[in-house]
Amino acid sequence: MAPIPTTIQHFTHKHSLILHHDTINPKYLCEGCMTYGFGTRYHCHACTSNLHEDCAKCPRILWSFMHPHHPLRLVERDHQSGDRACNICRELIEGLSYRCEPCGFDVHPICTLLPETLNHILHQPHPLRLLSSIEQGITCVICRGACNAFSWRYRCALCNFDIHIRCVPIQCQNKTTHRGISTYFPPSILPQQHYFVGYPNPNNFPGPSNMNHYNNNIVPQLYQQNHGQAQTHYGVNYGGRINQVMFHLVKTIATGVISNLVFGVIDVSTIF
Ligand SMILES: [Zn+2]
Ligand SMILES: [Zn+2]
Ligand SMILES: [Zn+2]
Ligand SMILES: [Zn+2]
Ligand SMILES: [Zn+2]
Ligand SMILES: [Zn+2]
């Protein structure tokens, strides 16, 4: 593996950026993609700007399983084309994004790091694949909230088994039958912290579950509604929007997949 460069030049910033780990203020806003990050980042000491390591490295052209037929181009937000939302997490795009212009497909750089497949203890016959589906009336096995048409989730299309992206790290309940067989069930109580930051009820989460279908017009309204503040287990203020937790969610799922983890067995919220 090539060593990580400690000083870089990036097209989004006029000064050189230095690889930096701030243990006192680990949380930062990436000024490339305008979503939050945690831990090591590229930092400009002259103007205290930060850039995700991933955004510093992301290629100008990307081929992704999320949009397999066309290349995605890394673009800076242009204010002429109005508000655009990320097809994967449904949050507003406020900085860099990968775009297929002819298809109107947009995705945050950080969201492109979600793994294509993962294994979950509640569906051992098949791996789950990150997919969208046009079917109506599907619910997430973990939170029982709706997986609305066109939303992206981890899914077994063969068995119609769906789990919201944000519900993947949640630990399931383990019960041992009277014959001594260990079986896993969806949790009876959902965690109120971690990925549910700011949303006392997961059904209020501004993700796929309460959006009817992809519609740019309703995004700004959602943005205002959910601009509240909330505490996380880090004890820092993350705000209430999914783009504030997406970094941690993506890293947790990606690290779990690299480690060959079967999701649902243990609480993975602390592995990253
Ligand atoms: Zn970024
Ligand atoms: Zn600078
Ligand atoms: Zn996104
Ligand atoms: Zn396309
Ligand atoms: Zn769910
Ligand atoms: Zn299946």
Side-chain angles (χ1 to χ4, degrees), residues 123 125-126 156 158-159 161:
H123 197 68
H126 309 120
C156 177
L158 217 59
C159 309
F161 181 98

Side-chain angles (χ1 to χ4, degrees), residues 35 85-93 106-112 114 242-243 246 250:
T35 73
C86 170
N87 281 57
I88 306 299
C89 74
R90 304 298 181 105
E91 264 292 341
L92 269 185
I93 291 195
D106 293 88
V107 56
H108 290 120
I110 207 81
C111 292
T112 66
L114 282 165
I242 195 167
N243 96 11
M246 202 59 195
V250 167

